[in-house]
Amino acid sequence: MPSPRSLRRQNPITLVLAGILCIGFFIFIFSSNDATAASSGQAAGRTSSSVLSPPSMPFRKSRANELHSAPPVEHYFMNNVTQSRNPAENKEKVLILTPLARFYQAYWDNLNKIAYPHDLISLGFIIPKTKEGNQAYADLQKQVTKTQSGPKAKRFASITILRQDTENPLMSQNEAERHKMEHQKARRGAMAKARNSLLFTTLGPTTSWVLWLDADIVEFPPTLIQDLADYDAPIVAPNCFQRYYNNEKKAMDVRPYDYNNWIDSSTAKEMAAKMGKDDILLEGYVEMPTYRTLMAMMHDPSADPGTKIKLDGVGGAALLVKADVHRDGAMFPPFPFYHLIETEGFAKMAKRLNWDSYGLPNYLVYHYNE
Amino acid sequence: MQAPLRLHLSAALKDDSSWTHDANCHCHCRFQPRSQPALRRRRQLIQRLLLFGSILLTGFFFFFPDLRPDLGSGPLSYLASTDDSKLETVRYYDLSNVQGTARGWEREERILLCAPLRDAAPHLPMFFGHLKNLTYPHNLIDLAFLVGDSKDNTLELLNSKLEALQADPEARNQFGEISILEKDFGQKVNQDVESRHGFAAQAGRRKSMAQARNWLLSAALRPTHSWVYWRDVDVETAPFTILEDLMRHNKDVIVPNVWRPLPDWLGGEQPYDLNSWQESETALALADTLDEDAVIVEGYAEYATWRPHLAYLRDPYGDPDMEMEIDGVGGVSILAKAKVFRQGVHFPAFSFEKHAETEGFGKMAKRMKFSVVGLPHYTIWHLYEPSVDDIRHMEEMEKERKAKEAEEAAKQQKEDKIKEQFDNKGSDWEKEKAAVQDLVQKAKNEEKEEAKKREEDKKAKEAAKEEPKEEAEAEKAKEEKAQEAAKEELKVEAKADKAKVEKAQEAAKKDTADAKKHVEKREEIHEAWGVDERGKAVPKQPEVPDSA
């Protein structure tokens, strides 16, 4: 029998060494990196010990055989929740909120590429209970599972996925139908309710920034959070464009997409003054010329990319908001608020609470082209 | 990772083939020992290769921890030194499960109980008493407190009280998630009763209160909550079943009536929360005249709104389930479905339709077509904190009481002195009869009392004769009082008191029918005066002659 003989002949020291190596190998391969995980975890905030905790935090499942213990008394020092120009350095938590009607892989890929430390990022999604929503839910779930079991540095701190309780008044979400003027009030009202539901259930006590990012924004710079935070504005919106194939130029080109970022005009104010209490002003419709200054039209590729302008109405495509603005009560009005609704009304409500909105005409994010 | 693995694999294969060769040769080549050293030499090479490979892999995983294989949640995960796999990062919720129904306790609906606190330490013990007594399942109640700008020990006390609450060994006495949020807004408004309720301070104060409420709610609301209950800590009396009672109505926003007890001299009780009201035309017209940032506050003479208030509609014997549609709500005790807050209704910290905080909340809820309801006959009682005026008045009363006591003491002394003088004669006699002192004294005391009684009877009869005269006098006094009520108050009260003392004595002695009638009449007059003293004055007066 060769193997026993060979073992017998083996130097015992070699065996011991091999054993030690084996154990060492085992430990290294199976243990996660304690040191780095612990330090980053502590810096980013704690993990909760109970399922009863803010959704913006991960929590530890209790083992089945563990004794039931009372939920702890948690202290949150909200004086320490800062919003600075260097959010990553100050370990400020960012909550990315997305009302999701359709899932685009490009959106998720970009999200994964975000250069902000992922253990400081929480994601929140709200998905309507429609056939389309179910599909988006399934797609999202697949990707979430993949990312959260993938490499540690790419995992997000926590992800909350909500199913919407309010009905969407329009079953069809196709572009043309969606943008019809008479449907706008109902559609955007429902949208506002979805946004509010998402916001107020996920904000929690530790979030510093809220980044609103629509699911159909399929291209944005990985440094989006840092770039926008650097302006130190309570509310800041980049310009939302769309890539398309320009038949005239026979080449890919960009065109403005989101018209909800604007500076108010006297015409619009006059129109508003004449309106009934429940009427709303809309932007981007020929039937309703408001002559507002649109940020979408102010884009100038040759100008300073850091230009910042003050806005009176904002769109929700991409929007970085200091959490304090929302905490003070600024929400997306689902009813006509000064004849404005949803994100535009949000800018107005923030204004009433003494928070200003800003726009970046030369900083672009791109909308999906249907 | 790939390269070393392949190395291993090829090494293993080589190894394997050499073994088969060896096995094949084993029986046939028994007399060819030369093959052994070659094999051994090769084995050493294999061993070295293996060693090298494992060192390489170990080093690799050491420097790139992220690339370590994930063992998932299977049994292998128990080998992991941290329970990283126990870390849950994804949560799924369906908001249609947390709509809130009339019988929430049966469907295990969670309630978020919110209480903003500032310098509230004195009220905390009472508040926790209420908490413990709530009949709604405690594990379904999540507590959230916002402590800000407190100068007393609110935070420490709150923490110790909560720890004690959760340390209860009975699982059913433990509450759910408990969050204490610490946030200082740096408000300059004082929290004492006077500055809190002064008209000028109202708009600013209510806006900052609204801000605190919004911070509390936005930090504590979870996707699991079906209901949100706002409760002030200074509620003195409330039914233990208040959550179920309010929930049963299945309204989006519902408030009970809030009154407060008062000392007897102020009338015994009083409507407290005047922020629950129905909108009136007058108020809407008023709102149109005010500028954008103005805030209408209810319960102040500066804004006469003529709104029907929930508080004034209370009937102590009315049906507690009666509902009333309202537009503004008070913040003492609000039960609202969580969906109201989820969909964006909050406490405006700006002037929303000319209202702020809880009143603005009611307005906004209405604007979003939620039902807002008050229960006029279901009452909870707010703590009575005397205002500065009340304290002043109480001090005055205290002074009066002391003066009266001093007067009475002086009178007593005088009487005692007189008695002593009378007794002096007897005492000589007493000294001589020391042996039977007790008996004698008893007899004597009885005698003395009888004598006193007789004397007073006589006095009373005299008084009865003087009755008409006195009534006229009383009438006159009343007129005088109407003219200079304030000045006369003290005198009148003293007079009334004297009359009361006399009355008591007389009644005790069971006087004649005449005397009794006279006493009754007097009492009525006194009561009328009492009403006058409270400042309600003239209209009550005609009643006196009627009843007389």
Side-chain angles (χ1 to χ4, degrees):
Chain A
M1 298 298 281
S3 55
R5 199 188 297 159
S6 70
L7 271 176
R8 237 176 286 134
R9 280 186 191 163
Q10 205 102 44
N11 191 343
I13 293 168
T14 324
L15 271 178
V16 169
L17 272 175
I20 289 172
L21 209 78
C22 243
I23 291 165
F25 186 71
F26 224 66
I27 287 170
F28 270 116
I29 202 167
F30 289 137
S31 74
S32 58
N33 191 347
D34 285 343
T36 49
S39 66
S40 72
Q42 270 163 14
R46 35 199 177 166
T47 53
S48 306
S49 57
S50 155
V51 64
L52 296 171
S53 56
S56 52
M57 281 182 183
F59 66 95
R60 274 175 208 292
K61 267 191 294 190
S62 57
R63 286 171 202 269
N65 56 358
E66 229 168 351
L67 271 175
H68 164 83
S69 64
V73 179
E74 296 280 3
H75 283 257
Y76 301 102
F77 304 97
M78 295 185 77
N79 288 326
N80 301 344
V81 179
T82 56
Q83 286 122 19
S84 63
R85 276 174 185 273
N86 304 309
E89 269 173 43
N90 294 318
K91 305 274 178 207
E92 291 170 4
K93 294 192 154 195
V94 180
L95 178 64
I96 302 181
L97 297 179
T98 304
L100 193 77
R102 272 188 203 164
F103 184 82
Y104 297 104
Q105 189 58 41
Y107 160 80
W108 186 259
D109 291 344
N110 271 304
L111 214 54
N112 274 328
K113 273 187 233 150
I114 281 188
Y116 199 78
H118 283 205
D119 58 347
L120 294 172
I121 299 179
S122 297
L123 307 180
F125 297 92
I126 190 159
I127 306 169
K129 280 193 157 175
T130 55
K131 207 175 153 203
E132 231 180 12
N134 290 344
Q135 184 55 46
Y137 183 75
D139 294 343
L140 175 70
Q141 203 168 2
K142 210 188 293 166
Q143 293 303 320
V144 161
T145 318
K146 206 168 135 196
T147 303
Q148 291 307 89
S149 57
K152 281 233 170 55
K154 290 280 169 197
R155 291 186 202 171
F156 295 103
S158 74
I159 299 177
T160 311
I161 300 168
L162 306 177
R163 293 312 294 270
Q164 204 169 315
D165 55 340
T166 47
E167 289 300 314
N168 261 357
L170 279 183
M171 293 313 275
S172 109
Q173 275 276 345
N174 73 53
E175 180 108 32
E177 189 68 17
R178 208 166 71 186
H179 287 223
K180 264 187 196 159
M181 196 168 156
E182 56 266 37
H183 295 148
Q184 281 292 305
K185 199 167 106 182
R187 191 188 80 83
R188 297 196 62 189
M191 192 64 196
K193 281 182 187 173
R195 282 186 192 273
N196 290 334
S197 300
L198 178 58
L199 171 68
F200 289 113
T201 50
T202 53
L203 188 59
T206 55
T207 306
S208 291
W209 299 87
V210 178
L211 175 67
W212 289 95
L213 195 63
D214 274 358
D216 34 22
I217 301 300
V218 288
E219 191 187 334
F220 55 87
T223 53
L224 182 72
I225 294 170
Q226 290 94 321
D227 293 347
L228 296 186
D230 191 43
Y231 288 91
D232 198 27
I235 301 166
V236 61
N239 218 347
C240 178
F241 270 53
Q242 191 178 40
R243 289 192 193 280
Y244 73 111
Y245 185 75
N246 193 333
N247 278 324
E248 287 161 30
K249 285 194 205 164
K250 302 285 178 214
M252 288 307 286
D253 201 357
V254 294
R255 62 184 173 199
Y257 183 83
D258 189 350
Y259 294 110
N260 291 334
N261 297 300
W262 42 258
I263 304 166
D264 214 352
S265 68
S266 53
T267 318
K269 279 177 190 156
E270 275 165 29
M271 285 169 77
K274 283 182 207 142
M275 278 181 154
K277 194 186 168 203
D278 285 328
D279 294 334
I280 55 167
L281 280 170
L282 289 168
E283 202 46 62
Y285 291 88
V286 198
E287 306 95 297
M288 195 183 270
T290 56
Y291 301 105
R292 287 163 173 161
T293 315
L294 302 180
M295 185 169 83
M297 300 308 181
M298 292 167 78
H299 175 59
D300 179 0
S302 58
D304 172 23
T307 314
K308 178 172 96 170
I309 55 165
K310 206 167 165 182
L311 295 177
D312 295 307
V314 297
L319 195 63
L320 188 72
V321 184
K322 289 186 175 176
D324 287 5
V325 178
H326 285 311
R327 291 205 175 98
D328 275 356
M331 49 84 165
F332 301 92
F335 53 88
F337 182 74
Y338 290 84
H339 308 290
L340 302 170
I341 203 164
E342 210 212 346
T343 53
E344 295 166 281
F346 164 68
K348 180 66 189 172
M349 197 177 275
K351 188 82 201 88
R352 298 284 287 123
L353 290 160
N354 298 321
W355 297 105
D356 289 327
S357 310
Y358 293 89
L360 311 175
N362 299 327
Y363 192 98
L364 297 186
V365 298
Y366 295 95
H367 193 274
Y368 183 78
N369 190 1
E370 289 175 67
Chain B
M1 190 168 148
Q2 286 298 327
L5 268 182
R6 209 175 294 141
L7 214 62
H8 279 255
L9 204 65
S10 59
L13 276 173
K14 233 185 257 171
D15 198 27
D16 207 38
S17 65
S18 66
W19 276 116
T20 49
H21 171 70
D22 184 44
N24 285 341
C25 296
H26 192 63
C27 33
H28 304 291
C29 320
R30 195 174 279 262
F31 306 104
Q32 288 177 345
R34 279 197 164 265
S35 67
Q36 285 295 76
L39 195 72
R40 215 180 294 151
R41 225 180 299 131
R42 204 176 286 167
R43 227 206 344 257
Q44 259 178 0
L45 180 75
I46 291 160
Q47 272 173 357
R48 269 185 213 137
L49 276 176
L50 273 170
L51 199 77
F52 180 71
S54 6
I55 288 169
L56 210 73
L57 227 88
T58 312
F60 181 75
F61 282 135
F62 183 80
F63 289 112
F64 300 98
D66 285 333
L67 295 178
R68 285 174 202 168
D70 186 49
L71 296 172
S73 53
L76 272 178
S77 69
Y78 286 103
L79 293 166
S81 61
T82 61
D83 48 352
D84 186 64
S85 58
K86 293 263 173 293
L87 198 65
E88 206 60 15
T89 56
V90 190
R91 307 182 192 218
Y92 298 92
Y93 301 101
D94 188 343
L95 294 181
S96 50
N97 294 335
V98 287
Q99 294 296 300
T101 60
R103 303 172 72 80
W105 58 97
E106 286 172 1
R107 298 189 65 242
E108 302 224 319
E109 293 176 355
R110 299 197 72 82
I111 299 186
L112 172 68
L113 195 154
C114 292
L117 302 174
R118 175 140 51 104
D119 295 329
H123 305 313
L124 282 180
M126 186 175 73
F127 178 70
F128 276 86
H130 286 299
L131 269 190
K132 278 178 204 154
N133 283 333
L134 286 176
T135 50
Y136 200 87
H138 288 186
N139 63 317
L140 298 178
I141 304 177
D142 294 331
L143 306 175
F145 302 91
L146 185 122
V147 184
D149 306 287
S150 264
K151 281 164 217 80
D152 65 0
N153 63 337
T154 303
L155 196 61
E156 293 79 31
L157 190 65
L158 178 67
N159 191 47
S160 62
K161 287 260 172 203
L162 285 172
E163 294 283 1
L165 206 60
Q166 292 304 77
D168 196 309
E170 282 281 343
R172 63 188 181 86
N173 289 338
Q174 294 163 354
F175 285 80
E177 180 186 4
I178 298 184
S179 346
I180 302 177
L181 311 164
E182 294 172 34
K183 170 69 187 176
D184 299 319
F185 294 100
Q187 285 147 349
K188 283 164 189 74
V189 188
N190 265 330
Q191 253 324 64
D192 67 78
V193 179
E194 195 65 2
S195 60
R196 214 163 72 184
H197 292 281
F199 175 74
Q202 280 297 310
R205 194 189 84 82
R206 307 243 9 213
K207 285 178 185 172
S208 61
M209 265 305 290
Q211 193 188 18
R213 282 184 194 269
N214 289 336
W215 274 66
L216 174 52
L217 182 92
S218 62
L221 190 66
R222 308 272 176 264
T224 49
H225 289 137
S226 298
W227 297 89
V228 178
Y229 182 53
W230 288 88
R231 174 73 170 260
D232 280 3
V233 283
D234 40 11
V235 170
E236 196 177 34
T237 319
F240 302 158
T241 53
I242 185 159
L243 289 172
E244 292 94 326
D245 292 344
L246 296 178
M247 196 178 282
R248 207 174 286 129
H249 291 265
N250 203 12
K251 295 291 175 200
D252 296 323
V253 179
I254 189 166
V255 290
N257 204 339
V258 184
W259 277 49
R260 67 170 179 185
L262 286 183
D264 286 339
W265 57 271
L266 275 171
E269 58 187 28
Q270 186 191 40
Y272 178 78
D273 193 341
L274 298 179
N275 295 333
S276 303
W277 38 256
Q278 228 168 38
E279 194 52 281
S280 69
E281 294 297 320
T282 322
L284 287 174
L286 172 71
D288 284 339
T289 66
L290 300 172
D291 72 78
E292 197 187 19
D293 286 322
V295 172
I296 298 180
V297 280
E298 202 51 56
Y300 292 86
E302 282 84 345
Y303 288 137
T305 55
W306 304 105
R307 285 166 172 156
H309 287 85
L310 183 69
Y312 290 123
L313 294 173
R314 172 174 174 250
D315 171 5
Y317 305 105
D319 175 14
D321 282 340
M322 202 185 108
E323 293 171 2
M324 171 189 171
E325 283 275 320
I326 52 175
D327 295 278
V329 303
V332 179
S333 164
I334 306 175
L335 184 73
K337 289 187 178 171
K339 71 172 178 193
V340 174
F341 290 104
R342 278 201 302 267
Q343 291 183 15
V345 183
H346 62 278
F347 301 93
F350 55 92
S351 168
F352 178 79
E353 296 179 6
K354 307 294 181 295
H355 290 89
E357 213 212 344
T358 56
E359 292 170 291
F361 165 74
K363 279 257 167 188
M364 202 182 279
K366 275 280 192 181
R367 190 87 169 82
M368 285 172 63
K369 304 197 170 60
F370 288 114
S371 53
V372 184
V373 155
L375 303 177
H377 308 317
Y378 186 95
T379 314
I380 66 168
W381 297 85
H382 194 272
L383 191 73
Y384 166 67
E385 293 168 285
S387 69
V388 173
D389 269 348
D390 287 356
I391 290 170
R392 208 178 297 133
H393 194 126
M394 276 196 269
E395 271 166 9
E396 260 167 43
M397 279 175 45
E398 183 71 13
K399 228 185 278 167
E400 260 170 50
R401 196 179 58 82
K402 276 193 182 136
K404 217 188 290 162
E405 271 175 13
E407 205 180 303
E408 263 166 34
K411 219 193 273 168
Q412 191 70 39
Q413 254 180 357
K414 222 190 251 168
E415 270 174 35
D416 284 350
K417 223 183 239 171
I418 293 165
K419 243 184 242 169
E420 261 172 48
Q421 277 166 359
F422 275 122
D423 280 355
N424 272 345
K425 285 174 193 169
S427 65
D428 295 335
W429 183 72
E430 247 177 63
K431 270 174 205 166
E432 286 158 19
K433 316 250 167 174
V436 284
Q437 198 185 23
D438 280 18
L439 269 170
V440 174
Q441 197 155 20
K442 225 181 251 171
K444 211 175 137 203
N445 278 354
E446 273 167 28
E447 250 177 32
K448 216 175 20 180
E449 253 170 53
E450 258 172 65
K452 213 165 138 199
K453 240 187 228 171
R454 242 173 280 135
E455 204 178 275
E456 267 158 0
D457 276 4
K458 220 186 277 166
K459 227 195 263 170
K461 264 173 202 159
E462 272 170 26
K465 271 176 216 160
E466 277 173 20
E467 189 193 322
K469 212 170 145 193
E470 267 202 24
E471 227 174 4
E473 206 179 16
E475 213 72 14
K476 212 165 80 189
K478 234 191 289 166
E479 277 169 21
E480 264 175 39
K481 221 188 73 31
Q483 286 163 354
E484 38 188 325
K487 262 192 234 165
E488 289 285 292
E489 215 178 84
L490 274 174
K491 236 187 262 172
V492 170
E493 210 169 66
K495 216 189 239 175
D497 267 298
K498 222 185 275 169
K500 213 183 199 173
V501 169
E502 271 179 36
K503 192 216 98 189
Q505 283 174 347
E506 280 157 9
K509 271 159 237 151
K510 293 192 179 78
D511 215 330
T512 54
D514 291 50
K516 232 189 227 169
K517 214 193 269 170
H518 145 76
V519 162
E520 269 167 24
K521 268 176 197 162
R522 257 201 190 178
E523 192 181 36
E524 269 155 22
I525 290 164
H526 168 68
E527 265 194 2
W529 288 357
V531 169
D532 282 354
E533 280 158 28
R534 272 181 235 135
K536 281 180 192 168
V538 218
K540 276 256 168 179
Q541 281 189 359
E543 278 176 31
V544 176
D546 280 356
S547 65

